[in-house]
Amino acid sequence: MNGMPTENGVRKLPAWKTLLFSALVLSVFLALVTAAAELTLRNCCSSKYSRNDPPPPYDTAQKDELLGWKMTPGYAFDGKMKDESGGEYDISIRYDSLGFKAFGDTGTAAPRILFIGDSYTASIEVSNERSFFNLLGDSLGAEVFAYGHAGYGTLQQYMVLDQWVDVIRPEVVVWEVCSNDFIDNYAPLEIACGYKVGERRPYLSADGEIYYERPLTAWQMAGERLFVLQWLEQSWRGLLKNLLGRESMVGEYFIATEGRAYGPFDAAVGITEKIADKIKARLPAGTKLMVFSADTYQPQLDEFRRIFESRGFLFYDTPATEVEKARTVEKQVVKSVDGYHWNERGHAIVAGALYPFIRQAMAH
């Protein structure tokens, strides 16, 4: 015999081989359990865990190497939209071959106004003629140009300005921002937040360079392919809720409670300041920039005001406050079914709130 220890005449494996064998058996067992769970979830809950394409008119995005995504050229939809009270109204939306919802005459002698923003400017919730910028164009006698898309951050909006400002040559640029823009501007903050687009997009680095990243953790990316990982994450969150008596906190909570003491938000503000510097440097001489917020969440609203006013730009929260006043005080239905974006009445209020400021800017 080779001297290997025996027990009752049976050779005893070395400890390291026993450990290796046990680990192998456990790995095979876990793999089989995972495979069985995955098959079960795919059979019973595929619609819950799959990344399905959004239904019209929420399916406007087309992947784009430069912007991350853009408005699908020539996108059109005719149908119904619901407001937040459940009422339905007709919408007919059209975007041109360049992705603009409004593209006026660049050769006109009339004043030209360029509107840039995110989903509030994309305004899939209302027909073209009911969008706030077209209402303003009619009342101001101006040629209007409007481009936006859901989920756009400030850098993507800047890249739209950079691409089109010399073609359009606007007298006034009206820039719409919202509180989510800080999340959209900094990948680590998007990863930490409940709201996330989660798609590859451009970001501005601390040294001013543009780079591209998909703001998801490795676990979240793997979860797109393995439903069982999504189930495990949801189960973990449910366990924490039961133990703590509340939902686990996400980035939005820390933004609201800690402000710039919350590191990822502070970094996002710093990046947004750098993007604002790029906007100022790119704006042609004589072109006025007006910025307005689509919502009133704090501390984001005050940070946007500080960022843009400190660089000499006009900043207004009047449209958002007028919409909220109509909604909460006057009990008007001013938002669409999601409770955030404006319906036809909301767009009319925003246009009315912006009108005197744009008229004054055009007069000087």
Side-chain angles (χ1 to χ4, degrees), residues 136-281:
L136 283 164
D138 291 341
S139 58
L140 291 166
E143 293 291 322
V144 299
F145 306 78
Y147 192 102
H149 201 285
Y152 267 14
T154 315
L155 181 62
Q156 288 161 297
Q157 295 162 7
Y158 162 79
M159 294 166 82
V160 172
L161 174 78
D162 183 49
Q163 184 177 2
W164 289 104
V165 69
D166 293 332
V167 176
I168 296 171
R169 296 171 291 110
E171 281 78 7
V172 180
V173 175
V174 181
W175 202 295
E176 170 260 311
V177 299
C178 81
S179 57
N180 284 343
D181 291 349
F182 288 106
I183 299 173
D184 297 325
N185 291 346
Y186 187 56
L189 183 57
E190 183 168 345
I191 289 172
C193 285
Y195 157 86
K196 54 173 55 64
V197 178
E199 296 293 340
R200 172 189 174 273
R201 72 159 92 225
Y203 293 97
L204 194 68
S205 69
D207 58 5
E209 297 297 321
I210 293 177
Y211 69 97
Y212 289 81
E213 183 177 340
R214 192 167 180 221
L216 294 174
T217 64
W219 178 276
Q220 290 167 339
M221 290 185 187
E224 293 179 341
R225 294 175 172 82
L226 291 175
F227 293 175
V228 69
L229 296 184
Q230 295 184 48
W231 177 83
L232 284 171
E233 182 174 4
Q234 291 176 5
S235 299
W236 173 248
R237 290 183 181 277
L239 177 62
L240 287 179
K241 181 179 180 180
N242 290 332
L243 291 175
L244 301 175
R246 57 171 172 75
E247 298 283 355
S248 57
M249 298 307 181
V250 292
E252 290 91 338
Y253 171 82
F254 296 107
I255 292 172
T257 57
E258 299 181 12
R260 295 193 64 176
Y262 177 48
F265 178 61
D266 182 63
V269 172
I271 293 296
T272 305
E273 290 173 336
K274 293 181 182 297
I275 300 172
D277 289 334
K278 290 178 72 68
I279 295 170
K280 184 174 183 178

